[in-house]
Amino acid sequence: MAEINFKEFLEELKKHTPYNFCDYSDNSIQRRIDKVLKEHNLQIDELLAKTKSEPEFVEQLVDDITVNTTELFRNKETWEYLYNKVIPGLKSKTNINIWHAGCSTGQEVYSNLILFNELDLLDKVKVVASDINKKVIRSAKLGEYDYKFNAQYIEVFNELWNGLKTNPKPFEHYFNIDEDHDKIIAKDFIKKIPKFIKHDLVVEDIPFYQKFDIIFCRNVLIYFNPELQLKIVRKFFDKLHDGGVLILGTHEALHGFFKTRFVKHGMVYTKSNTFHLKYK
Amino acid sequence: MQKNIQYKGIVIGGSAGSFSLVSKILSQIKDDFKYPIILCMHRLKHIRSGLVEGLNLKSNLPVVEPYDKQKIEGGKVYLAPSNYHMFVEFDATVSLSAEDVLNHSRPSIDYTFSSAATSFRNKMVGILLTGANKDGAQGIFEVHTKQGYTIVQDPNTCDVDTMTKSALQLFSPNQVLTPEEIVVFLNNL
């Protein structure tokens, strides 16, 4: 069998699996596939054959080529802005709908719920969180994280509250700390709120009928090419209430048409009904 | 040095300790330098700001931390943002990634060099500066194998020579230069 290139591989993968990685950023997806080939000591045509004969291997492949990096309270300034500006503006609503698109292992889902609790709005909030990767969804539901790895984020947590509020609840109010097993575990009152589901933004329709006040999609679009980014942002735009916000990663930006339809503040983009031709 | 080549980019890598050297190079580069400079420096994880401001104070060319899919243009310096890997795509845009650290680093110099080598091939110059980590050596070696022009800072002039010596063990670059010679080289491109 002649050697196929990574584009042909992705086309083939699209045909016989539920996944479509064809419109991921070329250089990045190629590198991720190369990494899988190296790790499994396979040629690309062997990898393709394996995805055909072993459906369970496909899920492993998805886990290997998608990126699952996430942290508690990553980028302090985003959470400050949410706490000071975005969430207080939602106070008068009966229900506040939030979607974490590409939630990975769930740290930001819990970070956000902590803000809502500190603002006494936990009973109004309805949270859905989705990811393409089955495995991370399982671990998001568990809400268990390595203690040592997260120790620095507990500092970030404390730093954040020192800047925002005089009497925040301590970290232990939200997480059980089990140093012996090197674990922190989200407490049940917070863990029972989000609905975590496996969902692929690229190929599946959005499975929610409600519109959202906040959509988090942090460091997900960076793996897509510009055309696919635009397609996904259009879906988010349609699913946001007027005045709702889309939250991206620190170095992500909206391109093309939709940058005129949001007002940007740092990495928080507010849906607007007017065009902003002067967008910088 | 082939004078007639139109380069698509100059890629420079150095570790956290290379700040003063990079500022010096950028302060002495001519202000009508026509190629883009793609700069990947190791940075301290929780110190997000300051580096780009510091470099901008000294640099003759504007230094930006690019957004994902930003177009790479001549006469500008693109600094890999804190906590992201920076890649050069085939259409001369930057793409960012938050994937795992490589060689304990995010940004990783190997990733930037290797993606630039894939996209620019022989139409690039790779320059590896002082550093305390081997990250960067493999990357500039890939630049070399894809026919890019390679320069490694003379280890005798490095504050820490781990990075440059690891590279020199892998291959022989086109030139081994002192910082002053690197500036002259760039200004003659």
Side-chain angles (χ1 to χ4, degrees):
Chain A
M1 186 173 171
E3 182 78 350
I4 52 169
N5 68 31
F6 81 99
K7 288 230 158 197
E8 291 162 338
F9 170 78
L10 295 176
E11 283 294 340
E12 283 295 315
L13 196 68
K14 181 171 114 180
K15 282 184 208 154
H16 69 271
T17 72
Y19 301 102
N20 178 3
F21 296 103
C22 295
D23 294 318
Y24 278 52
S25 280
D26 286 342
N27 210 323
S28 329
I29 191 78
Q30 186 173 10
R31 191 185 57 262
R32 302 295 291 180
I33 295 168
D34 285 345
K35 204 173 149 197
V36 173
L37 294 174
K38 235 178 244 166
E39 273 164 18
H40 294 270
N41 196 20
L42 293 171
Q43 298 297 315
I44 196 159
D45 46 345
E46 295 169 332
L47 180 68
L48 183 62
K50 204 167 155 72
T51 61
K52 286 182 177 165
S53 59
E54 301 171 38
E56 67 281 14
F57 178 75
V58 174
E59 297 300 323
Q60 177 59 43
L61 181 68
V62 171
D63 185 45
D64 286 341
I65 65 183
T66 54
V67 173
N68 301 309
T69 316
T70 182
E71 293 157 4
L72 285 168
F73 294 106
R74 183 179 212 179
N75 308 129
K76 201 171 73 156
E77 56 280 26
T78 305
W79 304 99
E80 284 169 349
Y81 188 75
L82 277 168
Y83 182 88
N84 288 326
K85 301 281 182 204
V86 179
I87 303 174
L90 301 170
K91 244 180 194 166
S92 58
K93 302 194 69 164
T94 338
N95 286 315
I96 302 168
N97 285 300
I98 296 171
W99 176 19
H100 295 261
C103 64
S104 187
T105 42
Q107 282 90 325
E108 295 205 334
V109 178
Y110 296 117
S111 302
N112 184 52
L113 285 169
I114 291 172
L115 295 191
F116 273 84
N117 190 58
E118 291 289 331
L119 287 161
D120 295 322
L121 291 169
L122 205 57
D123 53 335
K124 292 193 172 190
V125 81
K126 302 238 183 306
V127 179
V128 290
S130 60
D131 201 284
I132 187 176
N133 181 341
K134 247 186 200 167
K135 204 161 135 191
V136 297
I137 285 292
R138 273 201 299 272
S139 97
K141 279 183 192 163
L142 287 174
E144 280 188 22
Y145 308 108
D146 296 342
Y147 173 66
K148 278 199 202 102
F149 177 80
N150 283 286
Q152 54 176 320
Y153 301 110
I154 302 177
E155 277 170 45
V156 175
F157 173 91
N158 291 329
E159 229 179 83
L160 172 72
W161 293 116
N162 287 339
L164 288 177
K165 209 177 168 185
T166 43
N167 278 315
K169 295 185 182 69
F171 188 78
E172 293 78 2
H173 182 78
Y174 298 105
F175 285 91
N176 289 313
I177 299 178
D178 180 350
E179 287 192 45
D180 295 339
H181 299 94
D182 188 32
K183 287 272 172 252
I184 58 169
I185 305 138
K187 292 201 180 168
D188 284 342
F189 80 98
I190 212 136
K191 217 157 65 173
K192 68 177 188 197
I193 297 174
K195 277 199 176 52
F196 290 102
I197 63 159
K198 176 183 170 357
H199 171 255
D200 181 350
L201 273 174
V202 177
V203 296
E204 292 177 76
D205 289 335
I206 292 177
F208 314 117
Y209 65 88
Q210 71 273 36
K211 284 199 171 190
F212 295 95
D213 299 290
I214 306 176
I215 298 176
F216 289 85
C217 186
R218 310 239 296 144
N219 298 320
V220 174
L221 299 177
I222 49 178
Y223 304 109
F224 302 160
N225 71 25
E227 294 72 36
L228 181 57
Q229 287 190 358
L230 192 67
K231 193 175 132 195
I232 305 297
V233 171
R234 181 183 300 275
K235 292 187 185 185
F236 290 153
F237 184 83
D238 292 340
K239 270 291 166 194
L240 277 172
H241 285 301
D242 288 342
V245 302
L246 171 64
I247 300 175
L248 301 177
T250 33
H251 276 270
E252 292 182 293
L254 294 180
H255 302 279
F257 172 68
F258 282 99
K259 73 181 190 182
T260 65
R261 303 304 307 274
F262 286 91
V263 180
K264 174 177 158 62
H265 184 282
M267 55 209 87
V268 179
Y269 292 80
T270 307
K271 176 175 172 175
S272 164
N273 259 337
T274 50
F275 285 86
H276 296 273
L277 296 173
K278 281 190 178 167
Y279 179 99
K280 278 181 276 186
Chain B
M1 183 76 250
Q2 310 93 310
K3 271 274 180 190
N4 51 349
I5 288 196
Q6 283 294 310
Y7 289 103
K8 291 185 175 168
I10 313 301
V11 183
I12 302 179
S15 74
S18 65
F19 174 78
S20 58
L21 174 60
V22 171
S23 333
K24 188 173 146 189
I25 292 173
L26 293 179
S27 70
Q28 292 175 13
I29 205 158
K30 57 185 184 186
D31 55 15
D32 62 347
F33 189 76
K34 64 179 175 179
Y35 299 112
I37 294 179
I38 295 148
L39 177 60
C40 185
M41 289 164 72
H42 291 156
R43 19 202 325 181
L44 305 168
K45 190 170 176 200
H46 283 290
I47 305 174
R48 188 172 307 283
S49 52
L51 186 56
V52 71
E53 291 81 357
L55 291 174
N56 259 319
L57 280 177
K58 301 278 176 101
S59 175
N60 282 331
L61 305 172
V63 185
V64 295
E65 290 179 302
Y67 281 89
D68 178 55
K69 306 296 178 288
Q70 192 166 327
K71 190 100 197 121
I72 296 170
E73 294 167 352
K76 287 187 183 158
V77 183
Y78 297 86
L79 171 69
S82 163
N83 247 326
Y84 284 99
H85 296 300
M86 181 170 76
F87 302 94
V88 176
E89 288 286 339
F90 297 113
D91 59 355
T93 55
V94 163
S95 72
L96 301 176
S97 162
E99 68 201 72
D100 293 348
V101 295
L102 179 67
N103 306 318
H104 312 286
S105 312
R106 191 172 56 217
S108 147
I109 300 167
D110 274 349
Y111 275 154
T112 302
F113 271 135
S114 139
S115 66
T118 305
S119 297
F120 292 162
R121 305 193 71 90
N122 64 336
K123 296 201 167 53
M124 69 169 283
V125 177
I127 304 176
L128 188 68
L129 303 176
T130 176
N133 172 326
K134 73 176 176 55
D135 181 44
Q138 186 62 39
I140 197 163
F141 177 51
E142 278 183 52
V143 174
H144 169 78
T145 57
K146 289 182 177 151
Q147 276 82 50
Y149 195 88
T150 50
I151 294 171
V152 172
Q153 184 186 349
D154 182 348
N156 296 319
T157 66
C158 290
D159 290 341
V160 188
D161 61 12
T162 317
M163 203 183 261
T164 48
K165 277 192 170 160
S166 316
L168 294 174
Q169 277 166 11
L170 289 174
F171 73 107
S172 298
N174 295 87
Q175 297 204 60
V176 175
L177 299 178
T178 66
E180 292 72 25
E181 289 166 340
I182 291 173
V183 172
V184 172
F185 171 89
L186 289 172
N187 283 336
N188 282 325
L189 277 181

